Amino acid sequence: MKKKALAFAAAACAFGMLLSGCGSSNGGSTADKGSNVITAYDSEPQNPLIPGNTNETGGGIPVDLLFARLISYDTKGNAQNEVAESIKSNDDGTQFDIKIKSGWKFADGTPVTAESFTKAWSYVANAKNAQKCSSFFSTIKGFDKLQDAKNLKGDEQLEGLKVVNDHEFTVDLNQPDSVFAIKVGYSAFAPLPESFYKDPKAFGEKPVGNGPYKFKSWSHNKQIELVKNNAYKGNEVVKNDGVTFKIYTDDEAAYADIQAGNLDVMNSVPTSASKTFKSDSSVQPYSKAGSVSQTFTIPASLEHWQTNTEEGQLRRQALSMAIDRGAICKKVLNGLGTPAVEFTSPLTPGYSDSLKGSENLKYNPKKAKELWAKAEAISHYDGKLTFAYNADGGAKSIFDAVVNSVKNTLGIDVATNPIPTFQEFRNDVTNRSIQGAFRTGWQSDYPSPENYLYQLYSSAAADGNGSNDGDYKNAEFDKLCSEASAAKSTDEANKIYQQAQEILLKELPAFPLYYSNANGVAATGVKGFEMNWQNLPVYNELTK
């Protein structure tokens, strides 16, 4: 779900789509008591609630509930048709014929048609509109023609999209894409009503979707109210009357509200409770293996750290080997995370713990010092490396441990760089104003290694066109991703993605730290609490 950029929550928090930021205190709330409206923890969205411009979990969570796509995923990540009646491919996966079910409507009463999809996808792909999820459409024919913002008006359509009638359209790709039929379940592929194009900014403040919930209100930095959409006719059975997302900047305050019954559900656990939440009788705990990958990134072009130079690769490998991931997982996370050994997650198809280069993610002080010395022989480095993170997400203990491990091993000048809120932090990342390392992570949008690799490290996703926040570019990596997309089977594709990962493990455009468990808590009066393949509560199942 997006989310791409997780607002990376801390120790036991879920990172994210770039992830969403962990909590903020709003003083708790007794509103909705006695009703069947669920109150849930969230962070303030970075941007207005437009599906194609939302790549972090603060906004991604409500967007997912507001917009139904062609397909949906069950709690384990299995895909099933939702708005789509059928999605059929030609033999080589370069053309898709998509038929949608009749009767679907947006919350404003207007019909969901084929053009609701083709026009929305073209808007997101069009560089003039500067949408953060643009790269997800890069395999559709005509994408390249929509990347020169200076010569575009913003309403140009993707050449590869053709409307057959109100309930059918075709998609021509510029290359085979073996995961396209799964990818369209991601929120960036949501349909949009005509009202969106009249005033996109206003729409983002009061979005009109076609999902299981309808938008009611958004009081910035306080709460986002969604109510049940009785006109929804999709796969999800909504058992409550609505979900009100309470905006927190302090996950400790959110946990206290869960204990007191002033908040119903939380998709993370503060570090201070990581040892005790499973036995805390005042909450319902949840902790199982998850799909979220926690990382940090150093810009690919940062002086002395360039990914395409020998010096930069040596420094990155040395830095990675100087981090004791096992100790962080054991002592800081209290066993609620697993040291990372590659760039996807243990729940991702094709995951492997024995890829070439995985040794670069293992703690090896002696080797780290040797590699750093080799880099110094090429060019002396006397700079200060800082690690930026959002201070409202519970990540302080993680990055304190990272800095201490690096300092003790390499003896270089390193320090943390906390930024007050997740929104401010993500804006700094988006604006490329951080000259050092910064916290990243990924909550998967769909169950495929393509989502963790192509969408985060391809050239197409760099330069603000996607979630490649470090602007890493490697032609061989791009080529392997294209070959994987054209593979005839999932197994074949996964083997090629593993080859692509070996490039990442050598050049380290980002530094995998650990995989988060799906950790969360609910108040004792809440029923139906479970977490899905994205480490998120199944909101529609919650009642009280």
Side-chain angles (χ1 to χ4, degrees), residues 74-140:
D74 66 16
T75 58
K76 297 188 181 301
N78 299 309
Q80 53 195 333
N81 286 345
E82 175 130 70
V83 180
E85 180 71 44
S86 64
I87 302 176
K88 297 181 179 179
S89 168
N90 63 354
D91 290 341
D92 66 358
T94 58
Q95 185 180 72
F96 290 80
D97 181 83
I98 298 172
K99 294 180 180 179
I100 66 174
K101 297 171 184 174
S102 60
W104 275 87
K105 291 185 178 181
F106 290 104
D108 61 4
T110 59
V112 177
T113 66
E115 190 177 54
S116 302
F117 288 94
T118 61
K119 197 171 179 179
W121 296 5
S122 295
Y123 183 92
V124 180
N126 195 309
K128 186 71 172 182
N129 302 318
Q131 301 292 283
K132 289 183 168 57
C133 298
S134 175
S135 66
F136 283 89
F137 301 87
S138 62
T139 58
I140 297 178

Side-chain angles (χ1 to χ4, degrees), residues 2-9 14-22 43-47 53-60 131-133 186 293-298 388-393 417-434 437-443 455-456 461 463-471 510:
K2 333 171 142 225
K3 322 157 183 352
K4 356 277 2 27
L6 302 167
F8 308 130
F15 253 37
M17 356 45 142
L18 303 178
L19 303 192
S20 81
C22 266
S43 59
E44 176 70 6
Q46 181 188 10
N47 298 299
N53 200 39
T54 300
N55 71 342
E56 45 76 36
T57 51
Q131 301 292 283
K132 289 183 168 57
C133 298
Y186 172 48
S293 173
Q294 308 279 18
T295 63
F296 68 85
T297 295
I298 296 177
Y389 61 90
N390 53 303
D392 62 354
N417 175 26
I419 295 173
T421 68
F422 178 65
Q423 186 178 45
E424 293 174 85
F425 168 71
R426 284 304 307 168
N427 285 339
D428 286 346
V429 172
T430 298
N431 296 331
R432 306 302 195 254
S433 59
I434 299 177
F438 54 89
R439 180 189 194 184
T440 45
W442 198 251
Q443 170 193 309
Q455 301 302 339
L456 290 180
D463 304 323
N465 294 318
S467 297
N468 184 348
D469 291 332
D471 295 324

Side-chain angles (χ1 to χ4, degrees), residues 282-299:
S282 65
V283 304
Q284 293 185 62
Y286 187 101
S287 182
K288 294 184 180 180
S291 61
V292 168
S293 173
Q294 308 279 18
T295 63
F296 68 85
T297 295
I298 296 177

Side-chain angles (χ1 to χ4, degrees), residues 270-342:
T271 304
S272 62
S274 61
K275 286 185 177 180
T276 60
F277 81 102
K278 292 182 184 179
S279 59
D280 186 344
S281 62
S282 65
V283 304
Q284 293 185 62
Y286 187 101
S287 182
K288 294 184 180 180
S291 61
V292 168
S293 173
Q294 308 279 18
T295 63
F296 68 85
T297 295
I298 296 177
S301 61
L302 189 66
E303 188 176 4
H304 294 289
W305 297 91
Q306 294 97 329
T307 55
N308 62 350
T309 67
E310 182 183 6
E311 180 198 356
Q313 291 173 16
L314 288 168
R315 291 200 192 282
R316 287 172 183 259
Q317 292 169 15
L319 179 67
S320 182
M321 291 184 186
I323 300 170
D324 191 344
R325 292 167 175 80
I328 290 173
C329 288
K330 182 178 180 180
K331 298 178 181 179
V332 180
L333 300 177
N334 295 308
L336 298 182
T338 303
V341 295
E342 52 123 281

Side-chain angles (χ1 to χ4, degrees), residues 37-50:
V37 172
I38 298 298
T39 55
Y41 165 86
D42 201 5
S43 59
E44 176 70 6
Q46 181 188 10
N47 298 299
L49 300 178
I50 298 171

